[in-house]
Amino acid sequence: LETLQDMRSLGVTPDVTSYFACICACRRAGAWEQALDLLNDAWAKEVEPDVECYSHVIRACREAKDQSTKLLQELRNWGPAPTAKRFHTTPMLKWTREMKQYGCGVRNEIDWQGDGAIPHCSVAGSWLLPSQDTVAVRLAERQAEL
């Protein structure tokens, strides 16, 4: 965590690659608790850990069987296509980790409040789903634009 804090103090925002490198270092050092802390910190800082991050934390947590089993189940819950982006919710809410558990390709990357142009999803064919009633009404009122 110190490396990531140092990055932030220098004005650099850690990304998933930064977290992955630190998790790998923890795994090699047998520091499973720190690896788990890094995974949780990534989610808390709204950096979405990928399958590789989870795999290395799981390896680091082998000593704490219940932790590695729990993480492995969380990863399995992501479904067969964990990087798929089928649905985008808006406005942005802080529950991406929970939504991944449904394994249906939900992403929470668009922060549209119902004003201005209707945002386009980053992946063609994705659905835009409202996560608040007011946004649902705005989308319904402007359905011709979709």
Side-chain angles (χ1 to χ4, degrees):
L1 286 174
E2 286 180 29
T3 301
L4 300 177
Q5 290 169 348
D6 290 344
M7 289 176 70
R8 287 186 191 99
S9 70
L10 295 171
V12 178
T13 303
D15 60 8
V16 69
T17 304
S18 308
Y19 277 94
F20 177 72
C22 291
I23 287 169
C24 287
C26 289
R27 183 185 59 82
R28 286 190 299 272
W32 67 269
E33 290 170 318
Q34 289 85 354
L36 186 59
D37 286 346
L38 285 165
L39 183 73
N40 291 325
D41 186 64
W43 282 114
K45 299 287 193 284
E46 298 183 22
V47 174
E48 189 175 322
D50 57 15
V51 173
E52 291 300 313
C53 286
Y54 267 79
S55 296
H56 283 269
V57 173
I58 289 167
R59 288 182 199 156
C61 288
R62 284 189 179 141
E63 295 174 27
K65 180 113 172 90
D66 59 324
Q67 289 296 330
S68 63
T69 302
K70 180 181 172 186
L71 290 172
L72 187 56
Q73 185 57 49
E74 182 176 339
L75 189 58
R76 286 183 179 142
N77 286 346
W78 289 5
T83 59
K85 295 181 180 182
R86 296 181 187 93
F87 305 96
H88 289 271
T89 58
T90 190
M92 188 176 290
L93 301 172
K94 295 183 181 190
W95 43 257
T96 301
R97 187 175 193 174
E98 290 80 10
M99 288 305 296
K100 269 193 99 111
Q101 298 302 305
Y102 293 110
C104 60
V106 174
R107 291 295 182 272
N108 191 224
E109 303 167 340
I110 300 171
D111 196 18
W112 184 68
Q113 304 289 327
D115 299 323
I118 294 176
H120 295 285
C121 298
S122 60
V123 177
S126 295
W127 290 57
L128 183 62
L129 302 175
S131 58
Q132 292 179 347
D133 290 344
T134 55
V135 173
V137 169
R138 295 276 172 97
L139 279 174
E141 291 170 347
R142 299 173 63 182
Q143 64 183 322
E145 296 174 46
L146 298 172

